[in-house]
Amino acid sequence: MSAPVSGSGVAPPSAATPGAATLWTPGIRDAAHPGRFVREFARRKALLRAPGPEAVLALLGAMVELQGEIPGLEMAAFLDGARKHREPLVASHAGYLRAQLEEARGDQARATAMYRAEGFVLDWQIVGPFENTGRAGHAAVYAPETDPFSAGQSFVGKLPGEPLVWRRFVHEQAPRGAFINLADLLDPPEQAVGYATVWVKVDRPGRAALHLGTSGAYKVWHDGVLVGSDDTYRTPTPLQASHALELRAGWNRILIKLATDDGMWGFYARLSAPDGRPLAGLVSTLEPQSTPVSPGAKDRSVSTGPKGQVAKASPGAGGVASSPVGVGRPGAGGVASSPVGVGRPGVRSLRAALEAKGQGPRARPADRLALVEFYRWTLPFAREDRSAVDRAREADSALGTARSAYLLATLDPDQNNSRVALQRAVERARAEGSGSREGGAPLLATLLVELSLRDRYLGLESRARALLDEAFRTAPDDVIVELALAERLSEDGFPLAALAWVGDMQRRYPDSAILARQQAERRMNLGRTEEALQILGTLQGAQPTDLGVAAEMQDGLLRLGRADEAVAIARERVRLVPGLPESHRALARFEEARGDLAAARAAMQRAADLAPA
């Protein structure tokens, strides 16, 4: 077994807490050492001062990195300020994150209203699954893309003898941050194709932008005309692609075809004005609507075709697909040039705007780095596509900073190349010093922790320990570094000392959700289940939609034989997300655990009604 951690191995400029003795040395929190998350929050506030589209870098990943660590009112104020940004695309993304904040607090009605105000289309009719073995479903033509919509129609799908019908997806009943998760209601969700349709209304005809984030190959039709198509399989985020379309006054039908292999299966969809502002007067519904065609107007409805699965390729409904904005060659100012054969003017998107500034021989190094940061968070490419890695390498060659090397290490899937870039980032950060504008001590500490984890994975224990100790000396106010040291202390055979260390951190950072979770987990592992439940109960009050917290509480309650309380938590989860089949399945498991088989069967039936297997 490795030697225990001692104060001699870690020496930040601080005196040990009385009673801590030689097992651990506390970190620091004072005016000069405000803490990791306060530093990161300040960095993002500075980024938001940029006047152009690069200001979105202040927002990308903000919820992942800061939610639960920065007080909710401060986060809300930051996002409300960002909603006033002069760049409408940045302002809209801030509005999206503000809605996410309300969703996390459990206020689904307010979150839904805020998503809609930014143009997110939330409620859809969906149908599937159809076959996508070998990713062939993208080219195949299935009946939902050829048959006129009818509420009572059914289709032959992936499973023989299982007719498929249109199902209602209502986001507020299964909220996932405006993500339309087909896998919630369509089964099986592997090697599959699904369709989603909605009707949107505007008062005046004109250009609009449809912004999409998709998990797999997709096609999108507007009133039967194909306006967008892409065959990329990726992790969906809201800012991946944009397409131009001409909305007519009154009702317009949007149809999306989406494929999946073995990953996620869903999409984000937002309609905006061409410049990215919310579209005035936009209304959407999943109920079928129609607008009479004016005399002499072209009927753009989908032509009737054969039912069932047609195994031939087709461009779809007589339209010509446009390239997603940012995939082809963007024009100036983030406006994509019109794809050949479409004839529609381009629309603005953050991706196109940042690519226009960050690519090409005349691009500034800072703009190259901004584009790479954007790619890091929005994941627009397939895993096998090296475009983001190539842009990161170009940015690193142009800048030669610790941060540029870190982004290259983060994006490069080749472990050897990534490790070389990470080591280069550490060397540069050491040379740049603690006051560097590129990141300073906080960035160096992050890099050292990452390299320590990789060394440990390779069995290089001594090197890993030395790097972690250096990270603590570099940034003694970084709780992520301290948590890594506390975990090391626990693994060395001192779980009570590790618990005391986490408790000391929590006294310094009393509002930290990460530290509260750590306290609960460690107490649960030590058999202090009741203490852990008290901590988790407080967390659940602040984050009522956090499924992880609920599951940990239920596990602890079952350990204590308190199945009735576990059921109460499951019922509350069903109340919050009544449209999610998994919430009903979880309730069924806990009803069974307490011996109420009738209630368990009823819950399973509700799950089956939502998503027939």
Coordinates of all heavy atoms in Angstrom, one line a residue, residues 130 141-148 153-156 166 195 255 302-303 305-310:
F130 N -38.1 3.1 -37.0 CA -37.9 2.4 -38.3 C -36.5 1.9 -38.4 O -35.7 2.3 -37.5 CB -38.3 3.4 -39.4 CG -39.7 3.9 -39.4 CD1 -40.0 5.0 -38.7 CD2 -40.7 3.3 -40.2 CE1 -41.3 5.5 -38.6 CE2 -42.0 3.7 -40.2 CZ -42.3 4.8 -39.4
V141 N -36.5 5.7 -47.6 CA -37.7 6.6 -47.6 C -38.8 5.8 -46.8 O -39.2 4.7 -47.3 CB -38.2 7.0 -49.0 CG1 -39.4 7.8 -48.9 CG2 -37.1 7.7 -49.7
Y142 N -39.2 6.3 -45.7 CA -40.3 5.7 -44.9 C -41.6 6.5 -45.1 O -41.5 7.7 -45.4 CB -39.9 5.5 -43.5 CG -38.6 4.6 -43.3 CD1 -37.5 5.1 -42.6 CD2 -38.6 3.3 -43.8 CE1 -36.4 4.3 -42.4 CE2 -37.5 2.5 -43.7 CZ -36.4 3.0 -43.0 OH -35.3 2.2 -42.8
A143 N -42.7 5.9 -44.8 CA -44.0 6.5 -45.0 C -44.2 7.8 -44.4 O -44.9 8.7 -45.0 CB -45.1 5.5 -44.6
P144 N -43.7 8.1 -43.1 CA -44.0 9.4 -42.6 C -43.5 10.6 -43.4 O -44.0 11.7 -43.2 CB -43.3 9.3 -41.2 CG -43.3 7.9 -40.9 CD -43.1 7.2 -42.2
E145 N -42.5 10.3 -44.3 CA -42.0 11.5 -45.1 C -42.7 11.5 -46.4 O -42.4 12.5 -47.2 CB -40.5 11.4 -45.2 CG -40.0 10.2 -46.0 CD -38.5 10.0 -45.8 OE1 -38.0 9.4 -44.8 OE2 -37.8 10.3 -46.8
T146 N -43.6 10.6 -46.7 CA -44.3 10.7 -48.0 C -45.8 10.8 -47.8 O -46.5 11.4 -48.7 CB -44.0 9.4 -48.9 OG1 -44.3 8.3 -48.1 CG2 -42.5 9.4 -49.2
D147 N -46.3 10.2 -46.8 CA -47.8 10.2 -46.6 C -48.2 11.5 -45.9 O -47.6 11.9 -45.0 CB -48.2 9.0 -45.7 CG -48.1 7.7 -46.4 OD1 -47.6 7.7 -47.5 OD2 -48.5 6.7 -45.8
P148 N -49.3 12.1 -46.3 CA -49.9 13.2 -45.6 C -50.2 12.9 -44.2 O -50.6 11.7 -43.9 CB -51.2 13.6 -46.4 CG -51.0 13.0 -47.7 CD -50.1 11.7 -47.5
Q153 N -53.4 7.5 -38.5 CA -52.6 6.6 -39.3 C -51.6 5.8 -38.5 O -51.2 6.1 -37.4 CB -51.9 7.4 -40.4 CG -50.7 8.3 -39.9 CD -50.2 9.3 -40.9 OE1 -50.0 10.4 -40.5 NE2 -50.2 8.9 -42.2
S154 N -51.2 4.7 -39.1 CA -50.2 3.8 -38.5 C -49.3 3.3 -39.6 O -49.6 3.4 -40.8 CB -50.9 2.6 -37.8 OG -51.6 1.7 -38.8
F155 N -48.1 2.9 -39.2 CA -47.0 2.6 -40.1 C -46.4 1.2 -39.7 O -46.5 0.8 -38.6 CB -45.9 3.6 -40.1 CG -46.4 5.0 -40.2 CD1 -46.6 5.9 -39.2 CD2 -46.7 5.5 -41.5 CE1 -47.0 7.2 -39.3 CE2 -47.1 6.8 -41.7 CZ -47.3 7.6 -40.6
V156 N -45.8 0.6 -40.7 CA -45.0 -0.6 -40.4 C -43.6 -0.2 -40.1 O -42.9 0.5 -40.9 CB -45.0 -1.5 -41.7 CG1 -44.1 -2.8 -41.4 CG2 -46.4 -2.0 -42.0
W166 N -48.5 7.9 -34.3 CA -47.9 9.1 -33.8 C -48.2 9.2 -32.3 O -49.3 9.0 -31.8 CB -48.6 10.3 -34.5 CG -48.2 10.4 -36.0 CD1 -48.9 10.1 -37.1 CD2 -46.9 11.0 -36.5 NE1 -48.2 10.3 -38.2 CE2 -47.0 10.9 -37.9 CE3 -45.8 11.6 -35.9 CZ2 -46.0 11.4 -38.7 CZ3 -44.8 12.0 -36.7 CH2 -44.9 11.9 -38.1
Y195 N -39.4 10.0 -36.5 CA -39.9 11.2 -37.1 C -40.5 12.1 -36.1 O -41.2 11.6 -35.1 CB -40.9 11.0 -38.3 CG -40.2 10.3 -39.5 CD1 -40.1 8.9 -39.5 CD2 -39.8 11.0 -40.6 CE1 -39.5 8.3 -40.6 CE2 -39.2 10.4 -41.7 CZ -39.1 9.1 -41.7 OH -38.5 8.5 -42.8
L255 N -41.2 18.9 -40.4 CA -41.1 17.5 -40.2 C -39.6 17.2 -40.1 O -38.8 17.6 -41.0 CB -41.7 16.7 -41.4 CG -41.5 15.1 -41.4 CD1 -42.2 14.5 -40.2 CD2 -41.9 14.5 -42.7
V302 N -46.7 17.6 -48.8 CA -46.0 16.4 -49.2 C -46.9 15.6 -50.1 O -48.1 15.4 -49.8 CB -45.7 15.6 -47.9 CG1 -45.0 14.3 -48.3 CG2 -44.8 16.4 -47.0
S303 N -46.3 15.1 -51.2 CA -47.1 14.3 -52.1 C -47.4 12.9 -51.5 O -46.6 12.4 -50.8 CB -46.4 14.1 -53.4 OG -45.1 13.5 -53.2
G305 N -47.5 9.0 -51.1 CA -46.7 7.9 -51.6 C -47.1 6.6 -51.0 O -48.1 6.6 -50.2
P306 N -46.5 5.5 -51.3 CA -46.8 4.2 -50.8 C -46.6 4.1 -49.3 O -45.6 4.7 -48.8 CB -46.0 3.3 -51.6 CG -44.8 4.1 -52.0 CD -45.3 5.4 -52.2
K307 N -47.4 3.4 -48.6 CA -47.1 3.2 -47.2 C -46.1 2.1 -47.0 O -45.8 1.4 -47.9 CB -48.4 2.7 -46.5 CG -49.5 3.9 -46.4 CD -50.6 3.4 -45.6 CE -51.7 4.6 -45.4 NZ -52.8 4.2 -44.6
G308 N -45.6 2.0 -45.7 CA -44.6 1.0 -45.4 C -43.2 1.5 -45.7 O -42.9 2.7 -45.9
Q309 N -42.2 0.6 -45.6 CA -40.8 1.0 -45.7 C -40.3 0.8 -47.1 O -40.3 -0.3 -47.6 CB -40.0 0.1 -44.8 CG -40.5 0.2 -43.3 CD -39.6 -0.5 -42.4 OE1 -38.4 -0.4 -42.5 NE2 -40.1 -1.2 -41.4
V310 N -40.0 1.9 -47.8 CA -39.5 1.9 -49.1 C -38.0 1.9 -49.1 O -37.4 2.8 -48.5 CB -40.0 3.1 -49.9 CG1 -39.6 3.1 -51.4 CG2 -41.5 3.2 -49.8

